[in-house]
């Protein structure tokens, strides 16, 4: 084989999205936007403001707040070393070093920075709470009227085993209430907000599960008791749970391993071991939920994998998701801000898994014969409402003007960039699923009477330019 022939056979590499990540495409993205629009609207009515956070934060922030013992920190974080760039001019190196907490006074001292100091570890955020707390402290939000209510929407990253409803890049809708008191009304209202939001989307089969995991007075004693009981049955547990008996016995309670279920059901439950203050708090949260007409079930196994939670924890499940059926997890985390160097601060929040929420909405729509609900209309609105079929130079100028006016009135318009025979243009309009074709040829331009064809029925009508907009406005698709 000649060299030339060998070269010909070499195909350029085809790239694929990284395992566990995916592209979200239209028309599905219309549904994502619809969901996010509902977040902005509903959360604002509860007094929440949006915070936008960096995707990267120092690894230590997550290690400290999530806990080194958790799966997230010990095996799932995307972490990398950010090298200190010694090729930069000295002025920038000094700035960079100071930003990393290395205090350098002058150029002469630059040479003394060893390589060990010149890297920092960064992580693609696996969740938002830690970063929201970092921002609360860094931006002195404790000086604002308390509590501060914030929400954020965006991608999170965890190196988990991908499956339906579980990705390595996934999206969360996250809300936090920081500062103020720990009045049970705050927990109940936060839950009310997420339930209102899910109701607004028309999500069916939503179930709220709640629990209290006590606080630093009563939980350690319960954890010890749990550990003792678990040690007695240790040889009947799988390897993960066996390890957790020593490292984090609470986590055994959320094990999904088949053979462990019977054992877990017989373990002591935290509700029997809450101190008086925590029991009263839990009773009041339940009363406050009832006041708001919110139905819940209690689940003693709801412990959450993260270390900083106290008292109320909750989870919301939805239909159509198989084993990954939790769409929202949340709870109180009064100790976290202090752990991150801030003042003692009460806090509670939740994270909704947006991917799963959307999967559940889609499954729900699939299982119904008749499409219903506003969001579905949004995702099914045709991409093209008006296809402008034009022929001739004069008609082209008119077509450009028509497209501009229609777009300004909010219609989605397709204007072919090169001249096409009308037959071909109408075929193209059909393929795109356009609702109307606006036909502009020499005759139309000369008479000022434009022809509009409704593609589904084949009906044609003529309009003066001004009347066309009025007609289209009255017959808007999706309305
Ligand atoms: P967490 O931050 O672990 O409490 O998770 C909160 C919510 O985010 C869960 O209830 C899920 O709906 C969602 N979630 C967590 N991890 C993933 C993942 N790997 N892929 C998709 N959604 C996830």
């Amino acid at each position: 084989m000649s060299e030339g022939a060998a070269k010909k056979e070499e195909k350029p590499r085809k790239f694929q999205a990284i395992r566990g990540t995916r592209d979200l495409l239209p028309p599905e993205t219309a549904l994502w936007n619809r969901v996010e629009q509902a977040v902005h609207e509903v959360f604002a009515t509860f007094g929440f403001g949006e915070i936008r956070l960096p995707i990267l934060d120092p690894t230590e922030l997550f290690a400290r707040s999530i806990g080194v013992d958790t799966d997230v920190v010990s095996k799932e974080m995307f972490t990398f070393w950010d090298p200190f760039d010694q090729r930069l001019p000295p002025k920038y190196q000094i700035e960079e070093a100071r930003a990393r907490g290395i205090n350098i006074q002058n150029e002469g001292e630059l040479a003394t920075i060893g390589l060990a100091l010149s890297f920092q570890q960064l992580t693609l955020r696996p969740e938002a709470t830690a970063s929201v707390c970092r921002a609360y402290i860094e931006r002195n939000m404790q000086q604002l009227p308390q509590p501060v209510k914030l929400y954020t929407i965006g991608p999170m990253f965890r190196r988990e085993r991908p499956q339906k409803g579980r990705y390595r890049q996934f999206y969360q809708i996250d809300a936090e209430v920081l500062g103020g008191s720990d009045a049970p009304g705050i927990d109940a209202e936060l839950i009310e907000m997420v339930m209102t939001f899910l109701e607004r989307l028309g999500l069916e089969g939503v179930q709220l599960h709640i629990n209290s995991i006590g606080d630093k007075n009563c939980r350690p004693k319960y954890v010890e008791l749990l550990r003792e009981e678990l040690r007695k049955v240790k040889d009947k547990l799988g390897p993960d749970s066996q390890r957790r008996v020593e490292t984090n016995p609470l986590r055994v309670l959320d094990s999904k391993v088949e053979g462990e279920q019977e054992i877990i059901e017989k373990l002591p439950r935290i509700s029997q071991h809450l101190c008086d203050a925590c029991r009263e708090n839990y009773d009041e949260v339940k009363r406050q939920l009832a006041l708001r007409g919110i139905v819940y079930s209690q689940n003693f196994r709801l412990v959450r994998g993260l270390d900083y939670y106290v008292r109320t924890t909750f989870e919301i499940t939805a239909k159509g998701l198989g084993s990954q059926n939790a769409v929202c997890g949340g709870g109180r985390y009064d100790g976290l801000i202090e752990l991150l160097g801030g003042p003692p601060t009460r806090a509670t929040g939740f994270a909704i898994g947006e991917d799963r929420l959307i999967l559940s909405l889609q499954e729900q729509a699939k299982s119904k014969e008749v499409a219903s609900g506003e969001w579905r209309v949004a995702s099914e609105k045709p991409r093209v409402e008006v296809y402008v079929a034009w022929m001739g130079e004069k008609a082209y100028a008119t077509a450009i003007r028509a497209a501009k006016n229609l777009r300004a009135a909010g219609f989605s318009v397709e204007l072919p960039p090169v001249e096409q025979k009308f037959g071909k243009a109408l075929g193209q309009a059909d393929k795109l699923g356009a609702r109307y074709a606006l036909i502009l040829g020499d005759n139309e331009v000369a008479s000022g009477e434009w022809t509009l064809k409704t593609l589904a029925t084949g009906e044609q009508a003529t309009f003066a330019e001004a009347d066309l907009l009025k007609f289209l406005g009255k017959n808007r698709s999706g309305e």
Side-chain angles (χ1 to χ4, degrees):
M1 202 190 301
S2 74
E3 207 182 298
K7 265 210 184 115
K8 231 185 198 169
E9 276 173 24
E10 239 176 61
K11 279 208 187 126
R13 175 182 166 192
K14 268 202 210 151
F15 292 99
Q16 284 180 329
I18 294 163
R19 184 169 145 81
T21 72
R22 66 214 205 284
D23 307 302
L24 301 169
L25 306 174
E28 195 189 331
T29 38
L31 177 53
W32 284 72
N33 285 330
R34 178 75 200 88
V35 165
E36 290 172 14
Q37 191 52 39
V39 172
H40 298 306
E41 285 167 15
V42 173
F43 288 18
T45 64
F46 284 80
F48 280 68
E50 186 183 8
I51 178 171
R52 297 201 180 194
L53 298 160
I55 303 282
L56 289 169
D57 251 317
T59 305
E60 203 192 332
L61 173 71
F62 301 114
R64 250 210 267 167
S65 59
I66 301 173
V68 282
D69 210 27
T70 56
D71 287 351
V72 171
V73 171
S74 64
K75 19 182 207 218
E76 295 170 1
M77 294 205 302
F78 287 93
T79 292
F80 63 94
W81 289 100
D82 179 24
F84 187 92
D85 194 346
Q86 284 164 329
R87 294 162 307 181
L88 288 171
K91 195 173 89 181
Y92 296 122
Q93 283 191 48
I94 292 173
E95 249 176 46
E96 183 78 29
R98 284 188 186 148
R100 291 178 185 196
I102 309 162
N103 200 10
I104 291 187
Q105 304 298 332
N106 53 48
E107 272 185 41
E109 283 181 28
L110 269 180
T112 63
I113 313 176
L115 267 187
L117 277 179
S118 64
F119 289 82
Q120 64 179 342
Q121 229 181 1
L122 303 180
T123 290
L124 290 174
R125 60 181 187 189
E127 52 117 60
T129 306
S131 304
V132 173
C133 291
R134 196 246 326 115
Y136 179 86
I137 300 166
E138 188 180 348
R139 307 298 290 266
N140 285 321
M141 288 190 234
Q142 65 271 22
Q143 284 169 8
L144 300 173
Q146 304 291 303
V148 173
K149 302 190 214 173
L150 297 169
Y151 73 95
T152 190
I153 307 173
M156 308 293 154
F157 303 84
R158 295 182 197 172
R159 195 183 277 106
E160 295 193 83
R161 195 173 58 76
Q163 53 180 286
K164 182 181 171 192
R166 188 190 281 184
Y167 313 98
R168 290 182 168 183
Q169 175 174 337
F170 60 100
Y171 295 78
Q172 282 187 344
I173 299 161
D174 179 275
E176 315 286 349
V177 182
L178 307 153
S181 78
D182 64 348
I186 292 185
D187 304 70
E189 194 180 77
L190 184 75
I191 293 173
E192 184 186 359
M193 180 167 87
V194 59
M195 298 303 276
T196 305
F197 163 68
L198 296 175
E199 205 179 295
R200 169 76 70 92
L201 294 175
L203 186 68
E204 292 169 0
V206 173
Q207 283 185 337
L208 167 68
H209 310 267
I210 61 168
N211 190 24
S212 172
I213 53 168
D215 64 8
K216 58 178 186 292
N217 294 320
C218 50
R219 191 168 40 176
K221 276 181 243 152
Y222 168 71
V223 171
E224 233 6 86
L225 174 73
L226 189 63
R227 182 176 280 132
E228 273 167 34
E229 291 302 311
L230 283 167
R231 277 182 184 145
K232 292 181 196 159
V233 290
K234 201 167 171 178
D235 51 344
K236 296 196 189 105
L237 300 172
D240 278 343
S241 290
Q242 281 197 0
R243 189 167 37 79
R244 287 175 181 146
V245 172
E246 300 311 322
T247 58
N248 194 347
L250 277 180
R251 288 288 316 277
V252 177
L253 296 180
D254 64 17
S255 155
K256 302 265 184 323
V257 177
E258 189 92 15
E260 296 177 356
Q261 302 309 310
E262 212 176 309
I263 302 168
I264 292 170
E265 282 302 315
K266 292 194 194 119
L267 290 169
R269 303 183 172 196
I270 187 143
S271 53
Q272 257 83 60
H273 299 271
L274 294 175
C275 59
D276 288 346
C278 284
R279 183 170 316 107
E280 275 165 30
N281 176 280
Y282 189 37
D283 287 344
E284 184 58 17
V285 169
K286 288 186 279 188
R287 197 183 72 87
Q288 292 259 356
L289 286 173
L291 276 176
R292 289 167 169 81
I294 296 169
V295 181
Y296 57 84
S297 61
Q298 298 183 68
N299 180 354
F300 78 101
R301 296 178 57 171
L302 204 65
V303 289
R304 317 280 298 133
L306 313 180
D307 288 346
Y308 50 70
Y309 285 97
V310 293
R311 292 189 166 171
T312 308
T313 60
F314 62 95
E315 191 170 86
I316 298 170
T317 54
K319 284 195 302 194
L321 295 172
S323 64
Q324 306 298 317
N325 67 348
V327 287
C328 175
R332 180 161 281 285
Y333 55 93
D334 288 348
L336 179 60
I337 292 188
E338 205 174 352
L339 184 78
L340 297 175
T345 306
R346 308 282 190 191
T348 178
F350 64 73
I352 298 171
E354 194 176 357
D355 312 71
R356 290 187 196 172
L357 171 58
I358 284 180
L359 258 176
S360 186
L361 286 168
Q362 287 168 329
E363 294 289 331
Q364 182 178 314
K366 251 194 255 165
S367 68
K368 281 190 182 170
E369 278 184 15
V370 185
S372 65
E374 246 181 293
W375 62 269
R376 190 161 164 84
V377 171
S379 67
E380 292 207 334
K381 189 172 157 185
R383 188 171 74 77
V384 180
E385 289 172 287
V386 185
Y387 190 96
V388 185
W390 60 272
M391 257 188 90
E393 259 321 293
K394 268 202 214 124
Y396 189 37
T398 307
I400 290 173
R401 196 183 73 234
K404 187 173 170 177
N405 291 339
L406 285 166
R407 284 174 180 144
F411 293 96
S412 87
V413 177
E414 194 68 26
L415 176 70
V418 290
E419 188 168 25
Q420 287 170 332
K421 295 243 162 57
F422 283 127
K424 192 169 168 208
L426 291 176
Q428 186 69 9
D430 250 343
K431 255 194 233 152
L432 289 175
R435 185 155 179 187
Y436 300 106
L438 174 61
I439 298 168
L440 291 174
D442 290 342
N443 292 345
E444 282 80 7
V445 173
S447 67
E449 290 282 311
W450 297 359
T451 305
L452 188 75
K453 181 168 181 170
T454 306
L455 288 156
T457 59
E459 269 173 79
Q460 284 196 184
T462 54
F463 295 93
E465 185 173 353
D467 295 337
L468 178 80
L469 263 183
K470 273 190 219 142
F471 172 82
L472 288 174
K474 264 195 234 139
N475 295 281
R476 269 216 110 116
S477 44
E479 281 168 20

